[in-house]
């Protein structure tokens, strides 16, 4: 058992009048303080729009393009020299995306000359009034509530969003941002109907209307897949390639600059329980279909280098694929029920999952096994993410042991923070026939059997055979069930399914925030994982 500092319930914070929620929580390195909140306008009526789970995406736009410049990648896209947190934690799957539940794919219609779009009120006019008072640069939060996508300025303490995009016929479910976009279309939005749009975030911000402008439309009217679009991701360094996961167990691969096809001509899936890949017979979108499982694909995440893609689904399995070779590498089952979320560590060595068994599962790519279960949530785990900006205090970087900090949120309204230190994991050695189990510390790879064939999906291990982690911090952060979390250099962001986002500032950052755009820009490059003994900073 990995012990934590005192139980999470003892992380006392100040309680606002009548609110019942604490405004800070303690960690060994100091207090995280609630700085401000973001949400949708108060007039939004949830019952009128139907239930959707709020997801949040982080996006950074660079300097405003010159008014006379041609629409090239340098002035419409996001600078490839700066790694945005959106790609780091959402687009590339290195952090948790908010809870996603299923989706559809589609054929795209590319935009050439005039901007052509499909249904759902997306505007086709190139002569719409522009918002000349907004320069469309900085860091933004994109989140969905009901039938609307909202955009907030992260660097402003204004609670209400600065932009809303309304969809008249279906609810948005998921979104992803690509800072490396070469043609300005850097934002993907997936709908419950299965329709998918790609748009320029900057163009949406500069327009005063409430409809999409300049959008490319994929899977129009569910022509390829009419199930719910649960999760969406840009392929890292994929030059405009993206993947959409649906509620019927399929993933579809798109290239945003290719035109769509009303008849993709994919073969009938003969065995819904088996993984299969089919390629389009023509050069139009979608270019490929991956059948993952029987039942919903709930979330997908790319390793940072784009080599691997992880999926989690209704059947409770984590599956890890080699993206280029289109091959199932390994995977394993939850202890109980569906898996709802997944996230990669920055070095690609570990994958977090969470789901209906209330556990946070830590999967090792080196060992192709579950190496630890995090116990601490009292309900379904709906978001997981590694904190690549955190480093262990009071360490000189000379130690050999790597410490990972990660977080999880659940429907129990709690944020949990965890420290994963490999030298302190107690690894059960396999029980000999008729004998009793023994335990050992150190590298788990010397104890697990690693001879499982490529493509093997392992059953759920017994509870007594997996090391347990205890949370470093457990803090009730919202009154509604949580749907996701993000880490930035200065803060932790938590979001509930009803569309409220809270920004928790890290210890040591100023109490007051200036009006500049430096909140994220100062430290967007990845910090190396720290080394040292956890005991050096535990209380």
């Amino acid at each position: 058992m990995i012990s934590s500092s005192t139980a999470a319930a003892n992380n006392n914070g100040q309680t606002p009048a009548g609110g019942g929620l604490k405004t800070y929580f303690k960690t060994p390195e100091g207090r995280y303080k609630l700085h401000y909140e973001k949400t949708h306008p108060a007039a939004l009526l949830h019952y009128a729009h139907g239930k959707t789970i709020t997801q949040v995406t982080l996006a950074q736009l660079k300097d405003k393009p010159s008014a006379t410049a041609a629409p090239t990648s340098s002035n419409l896209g996001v600078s490839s020299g700066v790694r945005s947190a959106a790609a780091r934690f959402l687009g590339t799957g290195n952090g948790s995306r908010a809870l996603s539940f299923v989706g559809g794919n589609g054929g795209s219609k590319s935009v050439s000359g005039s901007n052509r779009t499909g249904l759902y009120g997306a505007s086709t006019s190139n002569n719409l009034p522009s918002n000349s008072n907004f320069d469309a640069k900085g860091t933004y939060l994109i989140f969905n509530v009901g039938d609307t996508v909202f955009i907030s300025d992260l660097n402003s303490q204004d609670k209400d969003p600065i932009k809303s995009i309304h969809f008249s016929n279906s609810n948005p479910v998921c979104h992803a941002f690509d800072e490396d976009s070469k043609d300005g279309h850097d934002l993907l939005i997936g709908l419950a109907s299965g329709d998918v749009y790609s748009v320029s975030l900057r163009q949406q911000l500069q327009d005063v209307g409430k409809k999409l402008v300049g959008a490319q439309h994929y899977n129009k009217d569910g022509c390829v897949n009419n199930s719910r679009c649960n999760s969406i991701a840009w392929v890292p360094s994929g030059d405009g390639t993206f993947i959409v996961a649906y509620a019927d167990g399929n993933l579809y691969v798109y290239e945003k600059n290719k035109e769509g096809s009303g008849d993709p001509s994919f073969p009938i899936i003969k065995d819904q329980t088996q993984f299969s890949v089919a390629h389009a017979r023509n050069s139009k979108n979608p270019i490929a279909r991956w059948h993952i499982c029987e039942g919903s694909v709930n979330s997908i995440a790319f390793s940072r280098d784009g080599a691997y893609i992880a999926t989690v689904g209704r059947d409770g399995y984590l599956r890890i694929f080699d993206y280029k070779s289109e091959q199932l590498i390994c995977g394993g089952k939850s202890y109980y029920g569906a898996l709802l979320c997944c996230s990669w560590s920055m070095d690609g060595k570990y994958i977090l999952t969470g789901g209906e068994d209330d556990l946070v599962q830590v999967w090792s790519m080196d060992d192709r096994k579950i190496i630890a279960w995090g116990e601490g949530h009292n309900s379904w785990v709906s978001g997981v993410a590694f904190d690549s900006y955190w480093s262990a205090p009071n360490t000189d970087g000379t130690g050999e042991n790597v410490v990972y900090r990660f977080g999880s949120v659940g429907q129990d309204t709690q944020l949990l923070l965890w420290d994963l230190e490999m030298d302190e994991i107690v690894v059960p050695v396999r029980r000999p026939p008729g004998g009793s189990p023994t335990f050992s510390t150190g590298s788990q790879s010397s104890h697990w059997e690693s001879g499982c064939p490529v493509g093997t999906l392992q059953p759920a291990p017994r509870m007594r055979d997996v090391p347990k982690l205890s949370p470093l911090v457990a803090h009730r952060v919202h009154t509604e069930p949580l749907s996701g979390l993000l880490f930035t250099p200065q803060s932790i962001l938590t979001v509930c399914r009803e569309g409220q986002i809270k920004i928790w500032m890290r210890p040591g950052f100023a109490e007051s925030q200036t009006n500049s755009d430096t909140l994220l820009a100062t430290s967007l490059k990845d910090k190396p994982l720290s080394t040292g003994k956890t005991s050096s900073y535990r209380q």
Side-chain angles (χ1 to χ4, degrees), residues 61-288:
L61 291 176
K62 295 287 286 182
D63 294 336
K64 179 182 177 182
S66 61
T68 58
T72 63
S73 61
S74 61
N75 56 46
L76 286 181
V78 180
S79 170
S80 60
V82 178
R83 302 294 302 176
S84 82
R88 194 178 297 113
F89 294 112
L90 295 173
T92 63
N94 283 302
S96 168
R97 296 218 316 260
L99 178 62
S100 53
F101 277 113
V102 179
N105 271 312
S108 85
K109 293 190 175 181
S110 64
V111 178
S112 58
S114 63
N115 290 321
R116 296 183 287 114
T117 61
L119 297 179
Y120 305 107
S123 173
T124 59
S125 171
N126 289 326
N127 298 313
L128 293 173
S130 63
N131 185 0
S132 58
N133 294 325
F134 190 75
D135 60 6
K137 64 180 179 180
T139 305
Y140 302 95
L141 295 174
I142 302 156
F143 61 102
N144 59 287
V145 181
D147 61 358
T148 305
V149 166
F150 296 100
I151 305 173
S152 285
D153 186 347
L154 179 61
N155 297 318
S156 167
Q157 296 192 30
D158 290 340
K159 196 170 187 178
D160 287 344
I162 58 175
K163 172 74 177 182
S164 61
I165 303 172
H166 176 72
F167 295 82
S168 58
N169 292 347
S170 185
N171 288 348
V173 175
C174 52
H175 23 81
F177 180 78
D178 177 19
E179 88 283 5
D180 291 327
S181 172
K182 295 181 178 179
D183 63 358
H185 274 235
D186 46 21
L187 177 63
L188 297 171
I189 301 173
L191 308 185
S193 61
D195 292 67
V196 176
Y197 291 100
S198 72
V199 297
S200 163
L201 174 59
R202 177 174 280 113
Q203 189 174 2
Q204 309 314 305
L205 290 169
Q206 291 177 329
D207 180 74
V208 296
K210 293 186 177 181
K211 304 295 183 182
L212 287 178
V213 293
Q216 298 183 39
H217 193 177
Y218 310 84
N219 192 31
K220 182 178 179 181
D221 300 330
C223 62
V224 176
N225 191 311
N226 60 6
S227 64
R228 179 183 173 100
C229 177
N230 277 343
S231 189
I232 196 165
W234 294 101
V235 179
S237 303
D239 197 21
T241 304
F242 62 92
I243 289 184
V244 188
Y246 295 93
D248 64 354
N250 288 313
L251 304 182
Y252 287 85
V253 183
Y254 286 87
E255 293 180 3
K256 67 178 179 181
N257 294 323
K258 286 188 176 181
E259 291 196 3
S261 170
D263 179 14
S265 301
F266 291 118
I268 295 175
I269 299 170
K270 296 180 180 179
D271 187 348
Q272 293 284 338
T273 65
Q274 296 298 312
F275 169 64
S276 63
V277 177
H279 295 270
R281 298 175 184 176
N282 53 42
S283 60
K284 295 184 178 181
N285 271 320
I287 62 174

Side-chain angles (χ1 to χ4, degrees), residues 38 55 251:
K38 300 286 188 180
Q55 294 189 17
L251 304 182

